[in-house]
Amino acid sequence: MPGLILGIGFCFLFVMIPDKEGLTGYKMARRMMGYSYLICFLFLVIEGISLSLAASSVLQQIIMITIGIFQAFLFTFALTTLIDVYFFTWRRFIREVIIILLPTLAAFMVLFMCSNHYGFIAFLLLALFYLIKLVCYIVNFRNRYHDYERNISNYFSDDEHHRLEWVKKSFFTALTIGLLAFYHSLFPSLATSLIFTIVMGVYYTVFGIRFINYAFTFYQIETVMVDSAADDNEWKEMPVIASEGVVGHQAPKDGDKLLMDRLSSLMEEQRLYIKSDITIEEVALLTGVSYRSVSAAINRCKGVTFKSWINSYRIEESIRLIKNGYLKNQTIEALSQTVGFANRISFYRVFKSITGHSPTDY
């Protein structure tokens, strides 16, 4: 296991990254993951040495919980950097390292300077600290991911944001492994050790390969995130997005209403919505204004995101085709592609959310 993790850690640090713009956040996140793997390797070696020297069980428990704390910290920082390119700062990083190091070193010092009884109490306090940090990491990640979805939904018309669905899944999978490490530290046994080792080995391998290969598509999303965060104050003035891309309605300005009329005419005349990967920037170019202005007009006049606005045209067109007998000779899959959806699953989900029925039932 240490050798496997060490090898993947070196891949994170030394495998070439594509020479593309828009990979700043990815490079930082990958460096963080490399350090995370190397630290995990180091602690696994220390744990192996402690086992070979028949060290006290309390020492092994503290080592295990320390592995969990540092892995949770580094994984959270790396994955959050993928969805928020301005999240990582050295000041925030160093501050978090100090917050983690102080109780960890204190637990080791209590164990070595006092009896195992006090060492076990120090371990329990360290374990409680670990759980508190996990809760903080979860809350922070969920908030950042919500902001990420807002920015992406105001730029892409399809499910482009699902390209980073694996980041959310990876985060919560890592969280599960962290809880497994917590359980193993409290109730160490051969069975829990074996399960933890297998799950950890599979996850670290699959995740490492996916992360390294993701460089070839990540730049398409990072460019949007960087541009969206460049003028954060403007975004904060926009409505807050709720479920299904609905936003809190604000009173539109006169300029928004005029621009919205132009956008509606453009969409109806040129049927831009049938292009599955149409972006707000492409629409903005046709109107001669910035895509931020287009997004603000849609948010304020319609109370939805760009993607939801485009999808409303697609569903309206699909209903028209269904009423004209399109499905008598064509499939649902063909219908979804004809009206501009990237895949059948998205078409089904959006159609039902708008009409209350599936396309087949309708």
Side-chain angles (χ1 to χ4, degrees), residues 57-259:
S57 59
V58 178
L59 174 59
Q60 295 174 25
Q61 288 176 306
I62 292 179
I63 291 174
M64 177 58 68
I65 211 71
T66 302
I67 294 175
I69 292 174
F70 274 93
Q71 291 306 288
F73 156 58
L74 290 170
F75 265 77
T76 299
F77 258 62
L79 293 175
T80 306
T81 301
L82 285 181
I83 59 176
D84 182 356
V85 293
Y86 291 107
F87 171 75
F88 180 88
T89 63
W90 282 108
R91 182 178 180 180
R92 176 181 283 146
F93 180 80
I94 294 172
R95 182 183 62 199
E96 191 67 20
V97 169
I98 293 174
I99 292 174
I100 291 175
L101 275 178
L102 289 178
T104 303
L105 293 176
F108 279 105
M109 289 178 63
V110 170
L111 176 63
F112 291 134
M113 297 176 65
C114 304
S115 62
N116 280 346
H117 173 71
Y118 289 105
F120 184 70
I121 294 177
F123 158 72
L124 292 179
L125 292 175
L126 186 63
L128 177 61
F129 170 76
Y130 177 40
L131 289 179
I132 293 174
K133 292 304 294 181
L134 284 181
V135 172
C136 292
Y137 291 150
I138 292 171
V139 172
N140 179 72
F141 182 84
R142 284 177 62 88
N143 290 338
R144 303 275 177 173
Y145 196 85
H146 177 79
D147 291 340
Y148 155 76
E149 287 188 309
R150 178 197 65 186
N151 292 332
I152 294 300
S153 293
N154 270 310
Y155 189 89
F156 292 103
S157 65
D158 61 3
D159 288 334
E160 184 76 17
H161 69 284
H162 286 165
R163 288 178 178 271
L164 283 185
E165 276 280 318
W166 72 274
V167 173
K168 182 170 66 173
K169 294 176 181 177
S170 296
F171 176 83
F172 286 103
T173 303
L175 172 66
T176 303
I177 294 176
L179 293 175
L180 183 59
F182 175 78
Y183 180 84
H184 178 51
S185 66
L186 286 176
F187 309 102
S189 67
L190 182 59
T192 56
S193 177
L194 181 61
I195 294 173
F196 176 73
T197 302
I198 293 174
V199 173
M200 185 177 178
V202 172
Y203 173 75
Y204 271 52
T205 302
V206 174
F207 173 79
I209 295 173
R210 181 68 183 271
F211 199 110
I212 291 171
N213 288 332
Y214 196 70
F216 295 99
T217 54
F218 178 75
Y219 72 94
Q220 301 173 14
I221 291 178
E222 179 165 348
T223 302
V224 179
M225 290 190 291
V226 170
D227 198 24
S228 298
D231 189 2
D232 196 42
N233 289 331
E234 183 176 343
W235 280 110
K236 288 179 180 178
E237 292 176 359
M238 287 189 177
V240 177
I241 290 180
S243 60
E244 292 301 327
V246 179
V247 300
H249 202 70
Q250 286 187 352
K253 302 175 183 178
D254 292 337
D256 293 331
K257 294 179 180 178
L258 292 175
L259 179 56

Side-chain angles (χ1 to χ4, degrees), residues 316-331:
E316 185 179 338
E317 176 67 8
S318 67
I319 290 175
R320 186 187 69 80
L321 292 174
I322 290 174
K323 289 181 176 180
N324 290 338
Y326 183 91
L327 291 180
K328 291 180 179 179
N329 301 310
Q330 299 291 338
T331 63

